[in-house]
Amino acid sequence: MVRSAMAYLSLALFIVTSVTLVYSFLFPFEAGHPLQGSWFFLIMITSPIGLLLALTGLPKEPKKAPMVVVWASIGHGLLMLFLVLYMTLGYLIFGV
């Protein structure tokens, strides 16, 4: 019961972070707005926590990994990869 709750919490963190990321890129905040870098902060804080929650949500039998755990792990991994690529490629190559 607790393991599945952790997996669903991890998936909820992924969804909230992804929606915030998409919203901030579609409708960027004005300069100086308090929520201007919220997507960056959310990825930095919630992705490692969400990945740990997803991995602790794994059952004891390794063959029966629920799809919630799989999607949450992949999602948080992709968010962290996006952050690293945005910080390196965006800054060094594109000058963002």
Side-chain angles (χ1 to χ4, degrees):
M1 181 73 175
V2 175
R3 289 181 186 262
S4 65
M6 283 197 254
Y8 281 110
L9 179 63
S10 173
L11 188 64
L13 284 174
F14 168 66
I15 290 171
V16 166
T17 306
S18 300
V19 167
T20 305
L21 174 72
V22 170
Y23 182 81
S24 351
F25 276 103
L26 289 178
F27 309 107
F29 297 107
E30 295 178 5
H33 195 275
L35 295 176
Q36 188 176 9
S38 61
W39 65 271
F40 186 80
F41 175 75
L42 280 173
I43 293 176
M44 293 270 300
I45 298 299
T46 63
S47 283
I49 293 171
L51 193 58
L52 288 174
L53 284 174
L55 293 178
T56 55
L58 282 172
K60 293 184 181 181
E61 302 88 26
K63 294 181 182 178
K64 290 187 166 186
M67 289 304 291
V68 174
V69 173
V70 172
W71 284 110
S73 301
I74 290 172
H76 285 294
L78 285 176
L79 281 175
M80 288 190 285
L81 178 67
F82 170 76
L83 185 65
V84 168
L85 290 176
Y86 183 82
M87 287 169 45
T88 56
L89 294 176
Y91 181 73
L92 296 176
I93 295 173
F94 302 119
V96 174

